[in-house]
Amino acid sequence: MAKKIKTIGVMTGGGDCPGLNAVIRAVAKTAITEHNLNVVGIHDGFLGLIENNLTPLSYDDVSGILTRGGTILGSSNKANPNKFAVEVNGVKKFKNVSRQCVKHAKDAGIEAIVCIGGDGTMSGAAGMVKHGLDFIGVPKTIDNDLWGTDVTFGFDTAVTTATEAVDKIHTTAASHSRVMIVEVMGRYAGWIALHAGVAGGADIILMPEMPYQLDKICKYIEQRKAYGRNYTIIVAAEGAKCKGGQMVVHKVDKFSPDPIRLGGVANKIAADIEAAAGIDCRATVLGHVQRGGMPSPHDRTLATVFGHFALEQLVAGKRNRVVVMKNNELTTVALSQVANKVRTVPKNYRLVKAAKAVGTSFGI
Ligand code: F6P
């Protein structure tokens, strides 16, 4: 029989994504109505634990938030307790502040935390387990790149937003007989590019898992012209790179636990195609619009089952596991297994095969 708990914490870490509030709502409502637990909201991801910024959450606090984008608790993708940037005598350095976080949580009576986040958040949580704080993770990210789960919530909404953008780009591309390149997010994985590219009928999809060759892209555009197709739509993941080349880095924040920010590959590809083949190209970078707005119905329901399942796991005495969806079944994997890993698109992924079969090029 699992030891009965009285108080849990809930937090959202890393970049925001649609559906975070739906998880917070499911966790807190299940905890309050079905198990009579106290729920403490941790503000701004791990920063709330570092700075002791914690507040009790009531049923009313989590009502009316199902459809709201972002997170009512706030988030941070810079506050990893294992590697937190502090200023000592005017010099910035990393410090492990995990013990301080555990103390703040325990002082607030928190026995375990539902942490909603991606691989960075899971690695922050894993570092605190050895100091005596327990977690249940819920996988979030628009990138869909969390190891151990077939799907993360937030991904479906991001794909919908990106697909709508590709649909709109089509009309301008056709009217002006242009090559239009749409850059989507995804970090080191091509999930958003692949799904939005196929859904939006892109002619070429470029992703980090399949480094492209510029001459293959130019040849494909020329072939299309020969068949009377006067325009070409390219969907490029921000992590796309040419064969033998590097990803395009937008900026490096050396005091962030994950210092690299990708961005700019669409402009690079546009310039390279123009230089190599004299074809008029335009680049559109979708950026953070993919993380914003209301969650799709799919993400609202996925977030609700993830949140409910996470709470049920806690009550059943499970600790330091991450809720995952595997072959359409909810289950859990060890937190330590998920931390710091990336799930990329497999080369033999069914959608890649289907896209190739309907004539989509991957620039390879
Ligand atoms: O992980 C989500 C994500 O939006 C990535 O797709 C993107 O590379 C990154 O976060 C952007 O981070 P930031 O919001 O710090 O610019």
Side-chain angles (χ1 to χ4, degrees):
M1 180 82 170
K3 182 179 158 259
K4 183 137 176 46
I5 50 169
K6 290 199 193 92
T7 304
I8 62 151
V10 59
M11 58 161 279
T12 50
D16 74 328
C17 87
L20 286 168
N21 286 324
V23 183
I24 296 170
R25 170 180 174 269
V27 168
K29 285 194 170 181
T30 309
I32 295 166
T33 58
E34 299 208 332
H35 301 285
N36 200 24
L37 300 180
N38 303 313
V39 182
V40 176
I42 299 163
H43 295 275
D44 304 327
F46 287 124
L47 200 60
L49 279 182
I50 297 167
E51 297 180 343
N52 207 10
N53 188 4
L54 317 170
T55 26
L57 287 181
S58 69
Y59 192 91
D60 279 356
D61 291 332
V62 297
S63 295
I65 62 170
L66 171 67
T67 62
R68 228 198 275 172
T71 158
I72 59 161
L73 291 174
S75 194
S76 165
N77 59 5
K78 291 197 175 168
N80 183 336
N82 309 316
K83 222 180 155 197
F84 184 59
V86 289
E87 211 170 297
V88 183
N89 301 329
V91 183
K92 267 195 170 182
K93 35 173 99 160
F94 284 121
K95 197 178 160 195
N96 190 329
V97 293
S98 299
R99 278 179 201 281
Q100 174 180 330
C101 291
V102 176
K103 181 178 182 311
H104 289 153
K106 298 253 157 145
D107 288 351
I110 295 172
E111 288 151 279
I113 294 175
V114 176
C115 69
I116 311 162
D119 62 311
T121 307
M122 298 311 158
S123 94
M128 273 186 282
V129 172
K130 55 179 176 287
H131 296 292
L133 193 56
D134 289 325
F135 293 87
I136 288 286
V138 177
K140 78 80 235 201
T141 167
I142 63 163
D143 304 333
N144 202 36
D145 63 350
L146 206 79
W147 187 89
T149 186
D150 292 341
V151 67
T152 57
F153 71 87
F155 173 63
D156 182 68
T157 311
V159 168
T160 304
T161 302
T163 303
E164 281 168 11
V166 174
D167 289 346
K168 288 187 174 160
I169 289 286
H170 254 99
T171 51
T172 303
S175 305
H176 289 268
S177 302
R178 273 183 192 154
V179 172
M180 303 286 276
I181 307 164
V182 181
E183 178 177 317
V184 298
M185 282 184 164
R187 274 197 324 171
Y188 309 117
W191 294 105
I192 300 177
L194 176 64
H195 282 253
V198 171
D203 307 297
I204 303 175
I205 298 172
L206 305 176
M207 9 190 256
E209 294 86 347
M210 301 165 85
Y212 64 83
Q213 288 169 264
L214 187 65
D215 58 330
K216 297 271 169 68
I217 295 175
C218 293
K219 200 165 156 208
Y220 189 82
I221 296 168
E222 296 298 352
Q223 260 172 12
R224 280 178 55 78
K225 274 196 199 156
Y227 289 129
R229 315 278 199 276
N230 66 335
Y231 68 91
T232 295
I233 306 277
I234 302 177
V235 172
E238 62 182 356
K241 58 181 181 189
C242 64
K243 199 172 173 191
Q246 301 292 323
M247 291 181 187
V248 181
V249 174
H250 167 61
K251 76 176 194 183
V252 179
D253 178 355
K254 64 180 178 147
F255 289 105
S256 170
D258 182 10
I260 305 291
R261 292 293 177 279
L262 298 172
V265 73
N267 282 297
K268 175 188 158 36
I269 296 166
D272 287 350
I273 294 173
E274 284 193 1
I279 303 166
D280 200 19
C281 295
R282 294 289 185 277
T284 304
V285 181
L286 293 189
H288 291 80
V289 73
Q290 295 159 96
R291 293 222 308 245
M294 281 183 155
S296 66
H298 176 271
D299 279 338
R300 293 178 206 179
T301 51
L302 185 62
T304 302
V305 290
F306 272 173
H308 172 256
F309 190 69
L311 201 277
E312 292 298 326
Q313 296 302 299
L314 265 191
V315 171
K318 298 274 169 57
R319 297 290 183 269
N320 306 318
R321 313 280 304 168
V322 179
V323 169
V324 295
M325 186 73 85
K326 268 285 173 206
N327 304 321
N328 260 337
E329 293 288 339
L330 280 170
T331 179
T332 64
V333 293
L335 184 67
S336 54
Q337 267 186 293
V338 172
N340 289 322
K341 282 199 197 132
V342 177
R343 187 179 73 103
T344 53
V345 179
K347 292 227 163 42
N348 59 354
Y349 188 58
R350 184 172 288 279
L351 193 56
V352 172
K353 288 189 194 165
K356 283 181 179 166
V358 296
T360 311
S361 163
F362 285 86
I364 53 174

